[in-house]
Amino acid sequence: MNQVTWWRGGVIYQVYPRSLMDSNGDGVGDLQGIIAKLDYIASLNVDAIWISPFFKSPMKDFGYDISDYLEIDPLFGTMADFEQLIEQAHQRNIKVVIDQVLSHTSDQHAWFEQSRQSRDNDKADWYVWADPKDDGSAPNNWLAIFGGCAWEWEPRRQQYYLHNFLKSQPDLNFHSPQVRQAVLNNVEFWLKKGVDGFRLDAITFCYHDEQLRDNPAKPKDQRQGRGFSEDNPYAYQYHYYNNTRPQTVGFIEELRALINRYPGAVTLGEVSSEDSLATMAEYTQGEDRLHMAYSFELLTDDFSAAYIRQTVEELEASIGDGWPCWAIGNHDVQRVATRWGKQQANPTMIKMLNAMLFSLRGSVCSYQGEELGLTEAPIEFNQLQDPFGIAFWPMFKGRDGCRTPMPWVKSEDNAGFSHTQPWLPISAQHISSAVDVQEADSESVLNSYRHFLAWRKQQNVLIAGDIQFVNAHPNVLAFVRTLGSQRMLVLFNLSIQQSQFELADIKVNTVLDDHGLATGHQDKLQPSTIVLPGFSSFYAFVD
Ligand code: GLC
């Protein structure tokens, strides 16, 4: 692995620490649990892990509300545990990317506790404070993603503060140079600890419009976005003024200048804007901004060859020397097997989805459990933990169904995740897909995942090649990856029905079937037609 460019085309396995492995029997996963599973993670043949937040937090948003950026929350362990985790991961050639929630803190952070006291303390302008309108109402029409108005009243200051997410997640004021410096100091603390990079949470939310202009209304037919539809009034606005402000690029450049002092460290931005593909391109241009970014484009319900092609082509047309990272699942959305698979999800489909994700041009985030093909876990209202789900039930059930514990051993209590009842229930369906069951089955989703990633490491064209789409039947996603003189044709049948691909002027040189997807096409290869069984994948070198 090249120590500086490892991230280009790399596969990053996302660990949701509450749910990977509980080592101390409190029902919640922890850092020692991650360490215990590093051999397993290494066996997947991924390049890195991204660990969702494990910093000190009141856990109102399960760690995305940080009250001390430089401390490990006792729920997850100690700093010594984290140092051990880095060392153990590095021994196994796994890079460690941590989450940095820069745009907002917890309301229990010392900065906010000071800021809220008065209008004239040292940190008075570290958050976004505004006077009420003459009628006492909020300064403008901005809404919070997790429900309700984005402004909360602070009696001591007789002012409102801004929160784009929960009211316990006040937004920092990035217009203040002192805030930016304080944030960068925290980031540097972790660079000195030896982390290999940062996933930058909600990076588009750092700045707000200082004039506090109202967001314009969005017509009904355009109300869609990151995992919500018009069930959430947040979708009723164009978010021109509360996020993705032009100043963000300047901050990203300050951050990159710091990161550059630690060779090999990378930044991965989470982008959510009115035109996320354009923002991904803008934020990753040149050598001075983010290394890579992902957006919610493949995290929605849209699943068709046309949609995936259009998304990737639109990005490719604008990204220039920027770099994408693709994800089809994470801790914020319904599990992909259910979201895209609906009733048809089966192991063949899930193997194909993983292979497709690993074959697009860019880096990849693969969410824990996707190597097992886990489906969305059913959660009852009285089991809900996620405040987002509690606010929008029953139209939107929140994010708990994708955050349930990993099933390790079918026959053990709580599927080997914990000795105690876990913080979220483990579904019966997950237990029958446990790691030990899949390890024993050479055709399992898990073994296919491992095999495919081992094979991919040998295919430079999949890691670094260009991508051009090819016209095909509406159920078929077809593209050619090109690196130098090497050209690889890649086909996915996204439907359960058999389909065909007409080669036309493409000349197949070598059919590749050692990637472990075991779909057995070779005998079906006719002179000019490739027969694609339902949910199959096809790889070949072409002239
Ligand atoms: C990001 C995280 C999400 C969190 C939110 C607020 O979107 O992925 O889990 O709730 O930011 O920090």
Side-chain angles (χ1 to χ4, degrees), residues 14 16 50 52-53 61-65 99 101 103-104 145-146 164-166 169 199-202 205 226 270 272 294 296 330-332 386 388 399 403:
Q14 183 193 350
Y16 194 69
W50 144 31
S52 282
D61 189 20
F62 299 100
Y64 284 95
D65 49 325
D99 223 311
V101 187
S103 98
H104 49 270
I145 295 188
F146 294 161
N164 279 298
F165 296 90
L166 296 173
Q169 292 170 301
R199 178 263 185 184
L200 301 165
D201 184 72
F205 289 86
R226 47 168 304 180
E270 180 203 31
S272 162
Y294 78 84
F296 282 72
N330 68 20
H331 66 296
D332 285 330
D386 182 14
F388 197 6
R399 302 165 293 177
R403 296 177 174 181

Side-chain angles (χ1 to χ4, degrees), residues 96-122:
V96 179
V97 172
I98 63 170
D99 223 311
Q100 292 285 280
V101 187
L102 308 184
S103 98
H104 49 270
T105 69
S106 157
D107 60 351
Q108 294 181 32
H109 194 289
W111 296 344
F112 187 71
E113 283 181 343
Q114 183 178 341
S115 189
R116 75 190 314 177
Q117 297 301 326
S118 67
R119 296 186 184 204
D120 56 9
N121 67 76
D122 276 358

Side-chain angles (χ1 to χ4, degrees), residues 267-314:
T267 47
L268 163 63
E270 180 203 31
V271 163
S272 162
S273 74
E274 289 300 335
D275 186 349
S276 295
L277 297 174
T279 308
M280 278 169 75
E282 184 188 6
Y283 286 10
T284 62
Q285 279 319 289
E287 297 294 308
D288 308 332
R289 300 184 183 176
L290 302 182
H291 296 79
M292 49 187 165
Y294 78 84
S295 70
F296 282 72
E297 262 47 37
L298 298 187
L299 295 168
T300 66
D301 292 350
D302 295 295
F303 177 55
S304 68
Y307 177 74
I308 295 169
R309 174 177 179 168
Q310 177 204 321
T311 301
V312 176
E313 278 188 333
E314 191 181 325

